[in-house]
Amino acid sequence: MKQGPFNPAGLKQQSYYNHGVLRVGQPVFLTGQVAWDAEGEVVGKGDIDAQARKIWENIGLALAALGVGPEAVVKLNTYALSRETIPALHRAREAFFAGHDLPASTFVVVAGLADPALLAEIDVTLILPLD
């Protein structure tokens, strides 16, 4: 099996995600990450750019604790309060994945999140390489 992006013919081709990412290893399912700091305070209240950066910072911390980087991520589910958050969320995601393949991705507009000050949440599936 060839590892890497998976974009079969007949599906819409685009630059902002891949239809799948093939990896060999142990799957890990992170809890949804939001713009909370280590004390549970919301970072960037009312500011989607600040919240998006903090979400990806938190995801980066979780990946680093597992000894991997963006290359391990194979799937994202993004939940946001409105479609207007898409540009900011894309900017932060593109910065995080700079130089790496983009994972498969789903975007869902939701009525609310765990804390009313949160504007988005991203849940990540990754594959840890086999030792």
Side-chain angles (χ1 to χ4, degrees), residues 19-79:
H19 285 283
V21 178
L22 304 175
R23 296 277 188 264
V24 174
Q26 175 66 44
V28 176
F29 305 90
L30 296 181
T31 192
Q33 296 298 308
V34 296
W36 282 329
D37 63 17
E39 288 74 41
E41 298 297 320
V42 175
V43 172
K45 290 183 180 172
D47 181 346
I48 187 57
D49 285 291
Q51 287 198 20
R53 285 189 303 271
K54 181 59 179 167
I55 291 167
W56 283 106
E57 178 185 325
N58 289 346
I59 291 168
L61 290 169
L63 294 179
L66 292 165
V68 295
E71 72 286 346
V73 177
V74 296
K75 178 72 167 93
L76 304 173
N77 291 313
T78 302
Y79 308 94

Side-chain angles (χ1 to χ4, degrees), residues 48 80-90 107-110 119:
I48 187 57
L81 298 185
S82 77
R83 287 174 187 82
E84 286 73 35
T85 63
I86 291 173
L89 291 164
H90 278 189
F107 180 87
V108 180
V109 175
V110 296
L119 302 173

